[in-house]
RNA sequence: CGGGGCGUAGCCCAGUGGCUAGGGCACCUGCUUUGGGAGCAGGAUAUCGAAGGUUCGAGUCCUUUCGCCCCGACCA
């Protein structure tokens, strides 16, 4: 590519709103441009980098038996009604009517579409296992797009779907993906960790997320430095301690101005862990078959020294959504905010009790009366409810596996793998006949990688104060050829020779000053820079630098530029390949 | 959806209710220059986000509205 003809141009200053360095450089180097909130165009560099990432993904997906397909972005709503997700997913999925008024949706994922495909193609166990994947546009009307390509509304995603006769088959395909994903991310140069995850709206049980650890991430990851334990905070567990002692009789005490656990503990001169607090939420429950909504007050009871993890509470309550309850709603169920507990509340309240409370005795809880608390309350004796783990794990808590203190960090989810089991095949009647002629639902898995998000994470991970420093596997071009000489002939010849040899070259043939050219080369950040200038030219050489180390300078002989460049490309590729991560999934 | 911020040339930003709306970068022309965002001279580019209002007079004040960003709610 001749830079004089390049569609994009570089920007000297960061456009307003480019808050992270990775995003700023992608904009300034001319990889991407914003069209609207969470909507971006890919310019030649951005698109080429994307295609290189996609190629890595294709190779690894094909290697585990994937067959590439392409499904429509627009789906008839019917299939989404079959699985119920037409009703259970809120505004995040965009809907419209076609000219005859049929309900249509913009697919935000393709479980429904692929299951519809599969039920037409799969009839016998002899056809299984199968794996299909696509690399395709998704639209999700996220309420809050942000951070450039990290959290967008329209994006490219690799999504694959596996079909098996049994759990063992699913486990095999899950393990294949687990391993392939590490290969994909490491071939692209992105360091990731895998964490246990919540399966959320996807249904199913086992799932993992691939996280790029970074302060710009929005997910909180709980890790154990001493053992292998890692999990998204939404599902992370920890070792709890309990106050088990002989039950004592309930006693009502006056506790004025003690609306928080801290105030209460100080007033009564007890530990926060000797109290039980109530968290009030209103859950929305949606009937999957007709979309009817029902709201119900949920009270989460947790020990005073712990916090409720709302995601866990929502799962335990089997609610579709949660929102904080208004004081009136709480009072209507015979409870008092600030002095609340499940004791004496209306029977239609959903009580979820953390095991920290259920397994402890004689906790101080609200009396549901302004200014009063109850001493020595006990779960089971004084109130009942569903026992579940709804506590939020934090740094310093004991690892559930080895007991050492946990750590917490921020991460960006770049990939995920889910065991769907029969969540979709059952509701959409996607079955196969086994050896005995019995119809059984196909066992499914679903696996995603955010392609644009991966590029954004790479930009975040690979930059310095001058610009991008992308790995050679994903860099749009391998070589940046900078010509500083008046007579273009030498540079033109080298450009032609390198291109002919199959090397991707950006040739800066512009009539610009050396400073401008170097600054742009730094900003765009292609791995190998070849400078043609009089300084080295009179010795029959060209100057060579690696973007990753601008301090060090090499030189290539004019008559062996092609061979030496090829060797340099191979060397960089080799270095990256030597960092390939091979990791296996072991079922617990 | 709640809270906050910002919309002035392609980009970054100035602009007390008062003359023809400015600067830097980028762009065009000419000359000069060619190893780290050059110099000189000249030039073009704005429905001041939009609509309505107040006023003799609005980029500036008021109302409405649209868009973008940030915090929160939210998020496979």
């Amino acid at each position: 590519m001749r830079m004089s003809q390049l569609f994009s141009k570089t920007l000297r200053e960061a456009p307003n709103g480019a808050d992270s360095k990775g995003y700023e450089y992608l904009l300034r180097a001319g990889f991407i441009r914003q069209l609207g909130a969470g909507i971006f165009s890919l310019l030649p560099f951005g698109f080429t980098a994307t295609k290189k990432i996609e190629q890595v993904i294709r190779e690894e997906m094909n290697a585990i038996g994937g067959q590439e397909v392409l499904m429509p972005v627009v789906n008839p709503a019917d299939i989404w009604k079959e699985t119920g997700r037409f009703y259970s997913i809120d505004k995040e999925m965009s809907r419209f009517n076609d000219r005859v008024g049929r309900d249509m949706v913009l697919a935000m994922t393709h479980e429904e579409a692929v299951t519809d495909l599969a039920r037409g193609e799969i009839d016998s166990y002899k056809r299984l296992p199968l794996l299909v994947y696509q690399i395709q546009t998704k639209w999700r009307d996220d309420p809050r797009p942000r951070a450039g390509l990290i959290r967008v509304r329209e994006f490219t995603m690799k999504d694959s779907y596996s079909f098996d006769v049994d759990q063992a088959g699913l486990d095999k395909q899950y393990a294949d993906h687990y391993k392939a994903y590490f290969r994909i991310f490491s071939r692209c140069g992105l360091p990731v960790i895998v964490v246990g995850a919540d399966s959320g709206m996807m249904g199913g049980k086992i799932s993992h997320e691939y996280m790029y650890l970074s302060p710009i991430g929005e997910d909180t990851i709980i890790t154990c430095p001493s053992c292998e334990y890692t999990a998204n905070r939404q599902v992370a567990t920890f070792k709890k301690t309990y106050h088990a002692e002989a039950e004592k009789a309930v006693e009502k005490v006056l506790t004025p101005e003690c609306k928080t656990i801290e105030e209460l503990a100080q007033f009564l001169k007890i530990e926060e862990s000797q109290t039980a607090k109530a968290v009030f939420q209103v859950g929305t429950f949606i009937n999957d078959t007709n979309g009817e909504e029902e709201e119900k007050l949920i009270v989460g009871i947790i020990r005073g020294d712990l916090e409720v993890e709302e995601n866990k509470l929502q799962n335990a309550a089997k609610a579709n959504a949660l929102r904080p309850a208004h004081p009136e709603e709480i009072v209507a169920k015979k409870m008092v905010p600030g002095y609340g507990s499940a004791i004496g509340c209306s029977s239609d309240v959903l009580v979820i009790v953390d095991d920290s409370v259920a397994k402890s005795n004689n906790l101080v809880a609200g009396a549901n009366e302004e200014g009063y608390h109850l001493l020595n309350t006990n779960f089971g004796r004084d109130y009942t409810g569903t026992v579940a783990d709804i506590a939020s794990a934090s740094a310093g808590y004991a690892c559930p596996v080895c007991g050492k203190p946990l750590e917490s960090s921020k991460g960006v989810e770049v990939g995920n793998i889910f065991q769907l089991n029969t969540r979709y095949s059952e509701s959409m009647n996607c079955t196969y006949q086994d050896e005995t002629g019995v119809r059984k639902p196909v066992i499914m898995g679903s696996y995603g990688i955010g392609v644009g998000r991966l590029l954004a994470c790479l930009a975040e991970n690979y930059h310095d104060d001058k610009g991008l420093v992308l790995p050679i596997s994903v860099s749009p071009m391998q070589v940046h050829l900078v010509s500083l000489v008046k007579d273009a002939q030498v540079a033109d010849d080298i450009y032609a020779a390198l291109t002919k040899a199959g090397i991707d070259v950006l040739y800066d043939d512009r009539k610009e000053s050396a400073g401008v050219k170097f600054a742009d080369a730094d900003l765009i950040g292609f791995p190998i820079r070849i400078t043609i200038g009089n300084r080295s030219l009179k010795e029959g050489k060209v100057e060579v630098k690696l973007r990753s180390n601008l301090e060090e300078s090499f030189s290539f002989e004019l008559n062996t530029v092609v061979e030496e460049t090829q060797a340099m490309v191979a060397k960089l590729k080799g270095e990256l390949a030597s960092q390939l991560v091979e990791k296996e999934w072991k079922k617990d």
Side-chain angles (χ1 to χ4, degrees), chain A residues 72-96:
Chain A
V73 183
V74 173
N75 289 189
D78 292 11
I79 53 175
W80 289 79
K81 289 176 180 171
E82 282 186 61
T83 62
R85 290 208 291 183
F86 184 77
Y87 309 109
S88 62
I89 296 173
D90 199 24
K91 289 181 185 151
E92 199 177 345
M93 182 162 71
S94 295
R95 300 140 211 258
F96 64 99

Side-chain angles (χ1 to χ4, degrees), chain A residues 287-319:
Chain A
N287 186 321
D288 270 354
T289 50
N290 57 21
E292 278 175 26
E293 288 187 19
E294 189 193 354
E295 284 201 330
K296 206 169 181 181
L297 189 69
I298 299 168
V299 55
I301 307 291
I302 192 159
R303 219 171 53 201
D305 57 321
L306 301 174
E307 296 297 327
V308 166
E309 167 56 49
E310 281 186 23
N311 186 69
K312 287 185 180 180
L313 181 62
Q314 182 177 329
N315 286 343
K318 297 185 172 65

